[in-house]
Amino acid sequence: MSEEHPSTTEDVSTATDEGAGTTGEAAAVPDAAGTDGRLAGDFTRYVNYVALAALVALALVAGIQFYGAVSRTINQWIVREYRSLFHAAFNLAVLLVAAAGISWQVRRLRG
């Protein structure tokens, strides 16, 4: 019994020493490299969100101006009797495009 006990103690201490050295070195390296990569990734993501917000604002302004221009064109070129029909058709087209975009975005977000 005394012969088996010392040999198991040596095996346990050897395994512990080998595991401690490997784990300590591996844990220190990713922290240093991971922090810089994560900060660069966060900055890039924020820049992309700012660019997206600017483009959405630009598209919103252009969309409102386009809608107004089409309405003025309908009022100028279409006979009074048919103006409401053309306005309704144009509004329906805008509504369908917006609904398709919303549906596509919701599917993309759900994943």
Side-chain angles (χ1 to χ4, degrees), residues 66-68 70-71 74 83-99:
F66 175 75
Y67 187 85
V70 169
S71 291
I74 289 173
R83 283 184 189 163
S84 62
L85 179 65
F86 275 87
H87 279 291
F90 178 65
N91 289 337
L92 180 63
V94 170
L95 180 65
L96 291 175
V97 168

Side-chain angles (χ1 to χ4, degrees), residues 31-105:
D31 287 340
T35 304
D36 292 338
R38 202 172 348 136
L39 289 176
D42 287 345
F43 179 73
T44 303
R45 186 176 338 140
Y46 292 136
V47 168
N48 285 333
Y49 279 131
V50 168
L52 178 64
L55 290 172
V56 166
L58 182 65
L60 185 64
V61 169
I64 290 170
Q65 288 181 350
F66 175 75
Y67 187 85
V70 169
S71 291
R72 285 189 303 273
T73 303
I74 289 173
N75 288 336
Q76 183 177 0
W77 291 98
I78 303 298
V79 181
R80 186 174 301 272
E81 293 85 29
Y82 298 112
R83 283 184 189 163
S84 62
L85 179 65
F86 275 87
H87 279 291
F90 178 65
N91 289 337
L92 180 63
V94 170
L95 180 65
L96 291 175
V97 168
I102 291 168
S103 174
W104 177 73
Q105 187 65 21

Side-chain angles (χ1 to χ4, degrees), residues 8-23:
T8 43
T9 311
E10 290 175 13
D11 293 339
V12 171
S13 66
T14 306
T16 306
D17 292 341
E18 291 173 2
T22 307
T23 306

